[in-house]
mmCIF file of all heavy atoms in Angstrom:
data_model
loop_
_atom_site.group_PDB
_atom_site.id
_atom_site.type_symbol
_atom_site.label_atom_id
_atom_site.label_comp_id
_atom_site.label_asym_id
_atom_site.label_seq_id
_atom_site.Cartn_x
_atom_site.Cartn_y
_atom_site.Cartn_z
ATOM 1 N N LEU A 173 -17.028 -7.006 12.943
ATOM 2 C CA LEU A 173 -15.676 -6.493 12.709
ATOM 3 C C LEU A 173 -15.662 -4.940 12.908
ATOM 4 O O LEU A 173 -16.543 -4.245 12.811
ATOM 5 C CB LEU A 173 -15.217 -6.686 11.162
ATOM 6 C CG LEU A 173 -15.067 -8.103 10.761
ATOM 7 C CD1 LEU A 173 -14.855 -8.246 9.204
ATOM 8 C CD2 LEU A 173 -14.105 -8.845 11.520
ATOM 9 N N GLU A 174 -14.439 -4.470 13.273
ATOM 10 C CA GLU A 174 -14.047 -3.067 13.270
ATOM 11 C C GLU A 174 -13.198 -2.780 12.171
ATOM 12 O O GLU A 174 -11.985 -3.115 12.063
ATOM 13 C CB GLU A 174 -13.286 -2.678 14.596
ATOM 14 C CG GLU A 174 -14.211 -2.980 15.909
ATOM 15 C CD GLU A 174 -13.474 -2.781 17.043
ATOM 16 O OE1 GLU A 174 -12.126 -2.555 17.091
ATOM 17 O OE2 GLU A 174 -13.991 -2.791 18.144
ATOM 18 N N PRO A 175 -13.771 -2.075 11.043
ATOM 19 C CA PRO A 175 -12.956 -1.945 9.805
ATOM 20 C C PRO A 175 -12.052 -0.788 9.915
ATOM 21 O O PRO A 175 -12.530 0.364 9.835
ATOM 22 C CB PRO A 175 -14.224 -1.813 8.737
ATOM 23 C CG PRO A 175 -15.303 -1.205 9.520
ATOM 24 C CD PRO A 175 -15.208 -1.729 10.861
ATOM 25 N N TYR A 176 -10.890 -1.022 9.718
ATOM 26 C CA TYR A 176 -9.791 0.093 9.918
ATOM 27 C C TYR A 176 -9.462 0.659 8.617
ATOM 28 O O TYR A 176 -9.170 1.850 8.473
ATOM 29 C CB TYR A 176 -8.606 -0.405 10.613
ATOM 30 C CG TYR A 176 -8.656 -0.387 12.195
ATOM 31 C CD1 TYR A 176 -9.565 -1.041 12.868
ATOM 32 C CD2 TYR A 176 -7.930 0.599 12.861
ATOM 33 C CE1 TYR A 176 -9.657 -0.880 14.254
ATOM 34 C CE2 TYR A 176 -7.931 0.841 14.123
ATOM 35 C CZ TYR A 176 -8.916 0.036 14.929
ATOM 36 O OH TYR A 176 -8.922 0.216 16.284
ATOM 37 N N GLY A 177 -9.247 -0.094 7.496
ATOM 38 C CA GLY A 177 -8.782 0.482 6.337
ATOM 39 C C GLY A 177 -8.883 -0.530 5.129
ATOM 40 O O GLY A 177 -8.997 -1.683 5.219
ATOM 41 N N LEU A 178 -8.756 0.107 3.937
ATOM 42 C CA LEU A 178 -8.906 -0.664 2.783
ATOM 43 C C LEU A 178 -7.565 -0.613 2.031
ATOM 44 O O LEU A 178 -6.844 0.458 1.936
ATOM 45 C CB LEU A 178 -9.999 -0.179 1.709
ATOM 46 C CG LEU A 178 -11.409 -0.365 2.187
ATOM 47 C CD1 LEU A 178 -12.424 0.334 1.449
ATOM 48 C CD2 LEU A 178 -11.729 -1.852 2.183
ATOM 49 N N VAL A 179 -7.143 -1.718 1.346
ATOM 50 C CA VAL A 179 -6.014 -1.685 0.439
ATOM 51 C C VAL A 179 -6.359 -2.309 -0.845
ATOM 52 O O VAL A 179 -7.031 -3.272 -0.945
ATOM 53 C CB VAL A 179 -4.901 -2.598 1.141
ATOM 54 C CG1 VAL A 179 -3.725 -2.749 0.290
ATOM 55 C CG2 VAL A 179 -4.527 -1.927 2.635
ATOM 56 N N LEU A 180 -5.821 -1.693 -1.940
ATOM 57 C CA LEU A 180 -5.975 -2.127 -3.350
ATOM 58 C C LEU A 180 -4.666 -2.805 -3.644
ATOM 59 O O LEU A 180 -3.648 -1.999 -3.814
ATOM 60 C CB LEU A 180 -6.394 -1.150 -4.241
ATOM 61 C CG LEU A 180 -6.516 -1.564 -5.752
ATOM 62 C CD1 LEU A 180 -7.507 -2.642 -5.930
ATOM 63 C CD2 LEU A 180 -7.043 -0.282 -6.484
ATOM 64 N N LYS A 181 -4.494 -4.013 -3.845
ATOM 65 C CA LYS A 181 -3.242 -4.564 -4.270
ATOM 66 C C LYS A 181 -3.381 -5.543 -5.552
ATOM 67 O O LYS A 181 -4.087 -6.386 -5.514
ATOM 68 C CB LYS A 181 -2.722 -5.544 -3.091
ATOM 69 C CG LYS A 181 -1.665 -6.362 -3.462
ATOM 70 C CD LYS A 181 -0.259 -5.644 -3.624
ATOM 71 C CE LYS A 181 1.014 -6.598 -3.706
ATOM 72 N NZ LYS A 181 2.254 -5.874 -3.862
ATOM 73 N N ALA A 182 -2.714 -4.993 -6.633
ATOM 74 C CA ALA A 182 -2.694 -5.621 -7.840
ATOM 75 C C ALA A 182 -4.118 -6.063 -8.366
ATOM 76 O O ALA A 182 -4.442 -7.127 -8.781
ATOM 77 C CB ALA A 182 -1.901 -7.066 -7.774
ATOM 78 N N GLY A 183 -5.074 -5.167 -8.094
ATOM 79 C CA GLY A 183 -6.490 -5.210 -8.631
ATOM 80 C C GLY A 183 -7.295 -5.914 -7.601
ATOM 81 O O GLY A 183 -8.518 -6.092 -7.984
ATOM 82 N N VAL A 184 -6.897 -6.280 -6.516
ATOM 83 C CA VAL A 184 -7.647 -7.073 -5.564
ATOM 84 C C VAL A 184 -7.761 -6.162 -4.196
ATOM 85 O O VAL A 184 -6.838 -5.571 -3.828
ATOM 86 C CB VAL A 184 -6.957 -8.353 -5.027
ATOM 87 C CG1 VAL A 184 -7.914 -9.117 -4.018
ATOM 88 C CG2 VAL A 184 -6.791 -9.320 -6.235
ATOM 89 N N TRP A 185 -8.979 -6.009 -3.718
ATOM 90 C CA TRP A 185 -9.249 -5.182 -2.613
ATOM 91 C C TRP A 185 -9.287 -6.043 -1.269
ATOM 92 O O TRP A 185 -9.706 -7.052 -1.264
ATOM 93 C CB TRP A 185 -10.668 -4.560 -2.635
ATOM 94 C CG TRP A 185 -10.830 -3.471 -3.724
ATOM 95 C CD1 TRP A 185 -11.221 -3.481 -4.959
ATOM 96 C CD2 TRP A 185 -10.427 -2.070 -3.350
ATOM 97 N NE1 TRP A 185 -11.050 -2.098 -5.389
ATOM 98 C CE2 TRP A 185 -10.693 -1.229 -4.520
ATOM 99 C CE3 TRP A 185 -10.094 -1.311 -2.129
ATOM 100 C CZ2 TRP A 185 -10.484 0.025 -4.494
ATOM 101 C CZ3 TRP A 185 -9.818 0.047 -2.241
ATOM 102 C CH2 TRP A 185 -10.089 0.720 -3.415
ATOM 103 N N TYR A 186 -8.621 -5.466 -0.210
ATOM 104 C CA TYR A 186 -8.504 -6.065 1.044
ATOM 105 C C TYR A 186 -9.044 -5.167 2.132
ATOM 106 O O TYR A 186 -8.813 -4.039 2.085
ATOM 107 C CB TYR A 186 -7.124 -6.497 1.312
ATOM 108 C CG TYR A 186 -6.465 -7.573 0.390
ATOM 109 C CD1 TYR A 186 -5.868 -6.969 -0.771
ATOM 110 C CD2 TYR A 186 -6.568 -8.899 0.639
ATOM 111 C CE1 TYR A 186 -5.383 -8.026 -1.727
ATOM 112 C CE2 TYR A 186 -5.972 -9.842 -0.332
ATOM 113 C CZ TYR A 186 -5.418 -9.422 -1.422
ATOM 114 O OH TYR A 186 -4.752 -10.276 -2.230
ATOM 115 N N LEU A 187 -9.637 -5.778 3.136
ATOM 116 C CA LEU A 187 -9.978 -5.008 4.354
ATOM 117 C C LEU A 187 -9.109 -5.329 5.368
ATOM 118 O O LEU A 187 -8.936 -6.530 5.741
ATOM 119 C CB LEU A 187 -11.460 -5.346 4.635
ATOM 120 C CG LEU A 187 -11.964 -4.704 5.982
ATOM 121 C CD1 LEU A 187 -12.019 -3.142 5.900
ATOM 122 C CD2 LEU A 187 -13.384 -5.225 6.432
ATOM 123 N N CYS A 188 -8.481 -4.313 6.144
ATOM 124 C CA CYS A 188 -7.679 -4.584 7.373
ATOM 125 C C CYS A 188 -8.641 -4.291 8.536
ATOM 126 O O CYS A 188 -9.260 -3.090 8.627
ATOM 127 C CB CYS A 188 -6.559 -3.615 7.460
ATOM 128 S SG CYS A 188 -5.360 -3.921 5.940
ATOM 129 N N ALA A 189 -9.024 -5.279 9.404
ATOM 130 C CA ALA A 189 -9.914 -5.036 10.384
ATOM 131 C C ALA A 189 -9.542 -5.913 11.697
ATOM 132 O O ALA A 189 -8.824 -6.761 11.487
ATOM 133 C CB ALA A 189 -11.431 -5.491 9.949
ATOM 134 N N ARG A 190 -10.302 -5.706 12.654
ATOM 135 C CA ARG A 190 -10.210 -6.595 13.844
ATOM 136 C C ARG A 190 -11.532 -6.942 14.435
ATOM 137 O O ARG A 190 -12.523 -6.255 14.154
ATOM 138 C CB ARG A 190 -9.291 -5.997 14.970
ATOM 139 C CG ARG A 190 -9.923 -4.801 15.641
ATOM 140 C CD ARG A 190 -9.007 -4.356 16.773
ATOM 141 N NE ARG A 190 -9.529 -3.196 17.367
ATOM 142 C CZ ARG A 190 -8.911 -2.500 18.398
ATOM 143 N NH1 ARG A 190 -7.674 -2.899 18.766
ATOM 144 N NH2 ARG A 190 -9.449 -1.526 19.051
ATOM 145 N N VAL A 191 -11.644 -8.157 14.932
ATOM 146 C CA VAL A 191 -12.860 -8.626 15.587
ATOM 147 C C VAL A 191 -13.286 -7.593 16.702
ATOM 148 O O VAL A 191 -12.493 -7.102 17.444
ATOM 149 C CB VAL A 191 -12.784 -9.989 16.075
ATOM 150 C CG1 VAL A 191 -14.174 -10.421 16.751
ATOM 151 C CG2 VAL A 191 -12.433 -10.927 15.009
ATOM 152 N N ALA A 192 -14.481 -7.146 16.587
ATOM 153 C CA ALA A 192 -15.131 -6.219 17.589
ATOM 154 C C ALA A 192 -14.888 -6.635 19.058
ATOM 155 O O ALA A 192 -14.972 -7.743 19.374
ATOM 156 C CB ALA A 192 -16.620 -5.838 17.390
ATOM 157 N N GLY A 193 -14.366 -5.694 19.862
ATOM 158 C CA GLY A 193 -14.105 -6.030 21.258
ATOM 159 C C GLY A 193 -12.639 -6.193 21.409
ATOM 160 O O GLY A 193 -12.274 -6.435 22.721
ATOM 161 N N GLY A 194 -11.760 -6.154 20.456
ATOM 162 C CA GLY A 194 -10.300 -6.290 20.766
ATOM 163 C C GLY A 194 -9.773 -7.428 19.903
ATOM 164 O O GLY A 194 -10.444 -8.025 19.128
ATOM 165 N N GLY A 195 -8.437 -7.727 20.074
ATOM 166 C CA GLY A 195 -7.826 -8.860 19.380
ATOM 167 C C GLY A 195 -6.994 -8.190 18.266
ATOM 168 O O GLY A 195 -6.826 -6.978 18.122
ATOM 169 N N ALA A 196 -6.262 -9.005 17.618
ATOM 170 C CA ALA A 196 -5.291 -8.544 16.623
ATOM 171 C C ALA A 196 -5.969 -8.191 15.286
ATOM 172 O O ALA A 196 -7.034 -8.553 15.014
ATOM 173 C CB ALA A 196 -4.357 -9.742 16.290
ATOM 174 N N HIS A 197 -5.364 -7.226 14.537
ATOM 175 C CA HIS A 197 -5.799 -6.933 13.185
ATOM 176 C C HIS A 197 -5.599 -7.993 12.240
ATOM 177 O O HIS A 197 -4.438 -8.701 12.332
ATOM 178 C CB HIS A 197 -5.247 -5.717 12.816
ATOM 179 C CG HIS A 197 -5.527 -4.303 13.617
ATOM 180 N ND1 HIS A 197 -5.090 -4.058 14.714
ATOM 181 C CD2 HIS A 197 -6.594 -3.419 13.319
ATOM 182 C CE1 HIS A 197 -5.516 -2.957 15.200
ATOM 183 N NE2 HIS A 197 -6.537 -2.577 14.357
ATOM 184 N N ARG A 198 -6.546 -8.208 11.388
ATOM 185 C CA ARG A 198 -6.381 -9.331 10.307
ATOM 186 C C ARG A 198 -6.710 -8.727 9.059
ATOM 187 O O ARG A 198 -7.249 -7.510 8.916
ATOM 188 C CB ARG A 198 -7.268 -10.446 10.658
ATOM 189 C CG ARG A 198 -6.872 -11.159 11.938
ATOM 190 C CD ARG A 198 -7.710 -12.482 12.061
ATOM 191 N NE ARG A 198 -7.359 -13.376 10.952
ATOM 192 C CZ ARG A 198 -7.977 -14.512 10.797
ATOM 193 N NH1 ARG A 198 -8.920 -14.991 11.605
ATOM 194 N NH2 ARG A 198 -7.672 -15.289 9.815
ATOM 195 N N VAL A 199 -6.532 -9.453 7.834
ATOM 196 C CA VAL A 199 -6.646 -9.056 6.595
ATOM 197 C C VAL A 199 -7.876 -9.990 5.861
ATOM 198 O O VAL A 199 -7.721 -11.171 6.001
ATOM 199 C CB VAL A 199 -5.358 -9.033 5.672
ATOM 200 C CG1 VAL A 199 -5.716 -8.688 4.185
ATOM 201 C CG2 VAL A 199 -4.373 -8.145 6.279
ATOM 202 N N TYR A 200 -8.739 -9.275 5.293
ATOM 203 C CA TYR A 200 -9.807 -10.100 4.724
ATOM 204 C C TYR A 200 -10.042 -9.553 3.184
ATOM 205 O O TYR A 200 -9.951 -8.375 2.952
ATOM 206 C CB TYR A 200 -11.193 -9.703 5.378
ATOM 207 C CG TYR A 200 -11.171 -10.082 6.843
ATOM 208 C CD1 TYR A 200 -10.739 -9.204 7.800
ATOM 209 C CD2 TYR A 200 -11.793 -11.356 7.241
ATOM 210 C CE1 TYR A 200 -10.814 -9.501 9.111
ATOM 211 C CE2 TYR A 200 -11.751 -11.629 8.629
ATOM 212 C CZ TYR A 200 -11.316 -10.776 9.519
ATOM 213 O OH TYR A 200 -11.343 -10.998 10.871
ATOM 214 N N ARG A 201 -10.093 -10.573 2.299
ATOM 215 C CA ARG A 201 -10.388 -10.270 0.921
ATOM 216 C C ARG A 201 -11.819 -9.864 0.660
ATOM 217 O O ARG A 201 -12.799 -10.551 1.197
ATOM 218 C CB ARG A 201 -10.092 -11.477 0.029
ATOM 219 C CG ARG A 201 -8.697 -11.579 -0.371
ATOM 220 C CD ARG A 201 -8.470 -12.810 -1.431
ATOM 221 N NE ARG A 201 -9.102 -12.524 -2.693
ATOM 222 C CZ ARG A 201 -8.641 -12.809 -3.810
ATOM 223 N NH1 ARG A 201 -7.451 -13.349 -3.817
ATOM 224 N NH2 ARG A 201 -9.282 -12.603 -4.955
ATOM 225 N N ILE A 202 -12.092 -8.572 0.111
ATOM 226 C CA ILE A 202 -13.409 -8.040 -0.005
ATOM 227 C C ILE A 202 -14.225 -9.050 -0.875
ATOM 228 O O ILE A 202 -15.465 -9.148 -0.603
ATOM 229 C CB ILE A 202 -13.321 -6.643 -0.698
ATOM 230 C CG1 ILE A 202 -12.542 -5.709 0.217
ATOM 231 C CG2 ILE A 202 -14.881 -6.244 -0.885
ATOM 232 C CD1 ILE A 202 -13.213 -5.523 1.589
ATOM 233 N N ASP A 203 -13.623 -9.714 -1.847
ATOM 234 C CA ASP A 203 -14.541 -10.520 -2.890
ATOM 235 C C ASP A 203 -14.940 -11.722 -2.152
ATOM 236 O O ASP A 203 -15.623 -12.574 -2.696
ATOM 237 C CB ASP A 203 -13.761 -10.765 -4.067
ATOM 238 C CG ASP A 203 -12.474 -11.429 -3.905
ATOM 239 O OD1 ASP A 203 -12.127 -11.916 -2.725
ATOM 240 O OD2 ASP A 203 -11.713 -11.542 -4.913
ATOM 241 N N ARG A 204 -14.518 -12.037 -0.898
ATOM 242 C CA ARG A 204 -14.931 -13.300 -0.174
ATOM 243 C C ARG A 204 -16.111 -12.828 0.842
ATOM 244 O O ARG A 204 -16.671 -13.826 1.477
ATOM 245 C CB ARG A 204 -13.868 -13.874 0.618
ATOM 246 C CG ARG A 204 -12.818 -14.589 -0.337
ATOM 247 C CD ARG A 204 -11.828 -15.407 0.437
ATOM 248 N NE ARG A 204 -10.830 -15.956 -0.409
ATOM 249 C CZ ARG A 204 -9.709 -16.320 -0.204
ATOM 250 N NH1 ARG A 204 -9.257 -16.177 1.065
ATOM 251 N NH2 ARG A 204 -8.776 -16.768 -0.982
#
Side-chain angles (χ1 to χ4, degrees):
L173 300 174
E174 296 175 353
Y176 269 71
L178 289 167
V179 175
L180 176 61
K181 170 70 172 179
V184 179
W185 283 95
Y186 298 88
L187 173 68
C188 300
R190 67 179 181 183
V191 175
H197 291 84
R198 297 188 61 184
V199 176
Y200 301 85
R201 279 185 62 141
I202 300 294
D203 57 9
R204 288 188 185 154

